[in-house]
Amino acid sequence: APVLGFCTERGSRTSHTAIVAQSLGIPAVVGAPRLTLHVEAGDTVIVDGLDGVVIVRPDEEELRQYEAKAARYAALETRLRATRDQPVETIDGIPVEILANIELPGEAPLAVDYGASGIGLYRTEFLFLDRDAPPTEEEQVQTYAALVRSVGDRQVVFRTFDLGADKLMRDDQNRERNPALGLRAIRLGLRERQMFTAQLRALLRTAGVCNRELKVLLPMVSGIEEVREIRAIIGRERDAIGAAAGDLLVGCMIELPSAVLCADLLAKEVDFFSIGTNDLIQFCLAIDRSNDQVAYLYTPYHPSVLRAIEAVIAAGRGAGIPVAMCGGAAAELNLVPLLFGIGLRIFSVPPTMIPFIRAAVRSFSAAEAEDLAARARSSSIPSEIERLAERFMRGRMNGVP
Ligand code: PEP
Ligand code: MG
């Protein structure tokens, strides 16, 4: 039977378990401590992934209520999906781009169906998980080319593997003390050169096979040298492959405080930015994103986080490169006008969130959003800013939770 929903005792909303569940449209509640003490095999359990509520052995009334809630949500989703051809723009016509985050190539058609104008984040590391050996260069070319073809002429942003931290390969015995701060993403790639080079070659060849320029996004960049080193590898491999290679645009994820503070310098070295708020918030506020004990402190509404985002957008503008956001904050409905107000124009979100984000964008004007941003800037308390954002959106999307 397909998975109808699941709960975990550990983890948080931005842990990868939650991200994958959201991408696949599976209701999930994570970080419910001691839950298994209360559930037995055969129990009926309500999993409300919208509000993060789990009800074990619900009574008739609760069952009825939640069946109605599920039906309301399904109806709303259908209604919003039908709006996929409406332009994504504010009331006064300022365009916004909505892209999709995917973990598996098979999600791409679904993303297009929801109205994504492209794939803004393909987390390629999922191709490396749950298997004994990493995929070969050839296999990657096949997979990547099929993905590119499945979205027509829409863009695809390939993030090079962000392995390590909470995404370990099967034989990975190197359990680190602080894996989020450890040997992961491009750090691992620059150590495991062969595996990284194979992926970069596969991307160059995919661009060649598909006869179009592709976008490559580097995770966990801490500074300029890493970008230069990886660009040098790409240049060398491009020469080695020769005529069969295509062109790559190279972008950099902004998810480390060091990248935020050097965004103006990085902007001169790359073709685009994508802000990864999941990690950026983790590192900015020093909160382990997979630790449910400190999850209460994890918020995109912290002034430090909003200032960081605004600084990155300004740096991108200054250098004339596009700035997207692919972290979970881009998919928070109440944050949409605030992010727009501080200058964000490209949102990359889980496919199922696309209709909601589109509706949110279409519910305000640029002037209103800028006014909201100004009010948020003059507040120093996360919960206060969150309330401002909540109040701003309340009632705007008629019926959207
Ligand atoms: C992020 O950190 O916001 C991000 C998009 O990457 P991931 O969630 O895969 O770490
Ligand atoms: Mg990240």
Side-chain angles (χ1 to χ4, degrees):
V3 176
L4 298 176
F6 69 85
C7 313
T8 65
E9 293 193 334
R10 309 192 52 184
S12 69
R13 278 182 60 196
T14 56
S15 56
H16 284 93
T17 313
I19 287 172
V20 173
Q22 193 176 20
S23 263
L24 300 177
I26 300 173
V29 172
V30 298
R34 292 177 300 283
L35 176 68
T36 52
L37 296 178
H38 304 284
V39 200
E40 281 167 31
D43 278 347
T44 297
V45 178
I46 292 173
V47 181
D48 178 356
L50 290 177
D51 290 328
V53 172
V54 181
I55 301 175
V56 183
R57 294 183 292 277
D59 61 28
E60 288 293 319
E61 174 58 19
E62 285 167 328
L63 262 182
R64 208 188 44 73
Q65 266 178 21
Y66 276 89
E67 270 162 10
K69 183 171 181 180
R72 269 200 313 278
Y73 184 77
L76 174 68
E77 218 216 351
T78 310
R79 180 162 66 78
L80 285 177
R81 268 176 98 153
T83 63
R84 67 173 216 178
D85 295 324
Q86 289 176 350
V88 188
E89 57 183 33
T90 57
I91 289 175
D92 49 337
I94 311 294
V96 165
E97 191 169 6
I98 306 181
L99 302 164
N101 296 348
I102 62 170
E103 282 70 53
L104 305 167
E107 292 174 78
L110 177 75
V112 171
D113 188 41
Y114 276 109
S117 67
I119 306 301
L121 173 68
Y122 166 34
R123 292 180 162 103
T124 62
E125 60 271 16
F126 284 87
L127 192 60
F128 292 69
L129 298 177
D130 204 24
R131 57 193 291 164
D132 293 324
T136 61
E137 181 181 323
E138 192 53 42
E139 179 187 342
Q140 291 183 65
V141 175
Q142 301 290 335
T143 307
Y144 300 158
L147 168 59
V148 171
R149 293 198 184 101
S150 75
V151 297
D153 51 14
R154 293 172 183 81
Q155 64 164 306
V156 181
V157 177
F158 290 87
R159 180 174 73 179
T160 60
F161 58 75
D162 185 355
L163 292 161
D166 61 345
K167 288 169 292 197
L168 296 173
M169 283 192 291
R170 197 177 275 171
D171 65 348
D172 200 332
Q173 300 303 327
N174 281 328
R175 299 268 165 180
E176 295 177 295
R177 188 76 71 93
N178 281 308
L181 307 178
L183 191 62
R184 57 176 282 205
I186 55 166
R187 300 169 181 183
L188 183 68
L190 289 169
R191 176 78 62 89
E192 303 282 335
R193 283 294 169 112
Q194 223 178 356
M195 186 162 83
F196 195 33
T197 304
Q199 180 170 46
L200 295 170
R201 285 176 58 89
L203 290 165
L204 284 161
R205 286 178 53 202
T206 305
V209 169
C210 298
N211 198 17
R212 52 184 276 199
E213 198 171 61
L214 295 181
K215 291 187 172 171
V216 178
L217 180 59
L218 308 176
M220 293 292 289
V221 168
S222 69
I224 308 294
E225 280 181 312
E226 290 161 330
V227 174
R228 289 193 181 155
E229 199 172 349
I230 294 165
R231 274 198 181 279
I233 300 176
I234 293 173
R236 270 199 306 276
E237 295 306 324
R238 196 186 193 298
D239 291 343
I241 297 169
D247 288 322
L248 300 180
L249 289 175
V250 179
C252 154
M253 289 202 63
I254 305 288
E255 45 188 355
L256 267 57
S258 64
V260 173
L261 293 167
C262 294
D264 58 327
L265 305 175
L266 278 168
K268 295 187 188 128
E269 307 271 333
V270 296
D271 302 305
F272 63 97
F273 279 163
S274 193
I275 305 174
T277 52
N278 300 337
D279 277 307
L280 182 56
I281 296 170
Q282 151 165 281
F283 297 129
C284 197
L285 303 180
I287 295 156
D288 180 347
R289 65 191 261 195
S290 59
N291 182 342
D292 45 292
Q293 300 294 321
V294 289
Y296 74 101
L297 282 170
Y298 188 100
T299 171
Y301 293 99
H302 198 288
S304 63
V305 174
L306 295 170
R307 287 180 187 185
I309 294 167
E310 194 159 9
V312 172
I313 294 170
R317 280 224 177 116
I321 62 168
V323 180
M325 179 181 290
C326 60
E332 294 252 349
L333 283 180
N334 289 340
L335 255 180
V336 172
L338 184 47
L339 292 173
F340 180 96
I342 61 177
L344 188 71
R345 295 293 179 270
I346 310 173
F347 293 69
S348 193
V349 304
T352 51
M353 284 306 293
I354 292 171
F356 295 88
I357 303 300
R358 183 194 301 111
V361 169
R362 292 175 55 84
S363 76
F364 58 81
S365 70
E368 285 176 310
E370 274 148 25
D371 175 62
L372 171 67
R375 280 183 289 136
R377 270 185 217 105
S378 66
S379 170
S380 49
I381 300 171
S383 61
E384 224 172 82
I385 301 175
E386 183 169 7
R387 251 197 320 278
L388 280 175
E390 217 173 73
R391 219 173 295 141
F392 180 92
M393 278 308 281
R394 196 175 299 154
R396 273 180 200 265
M397 291 176 56
N398 88 79
V400 176

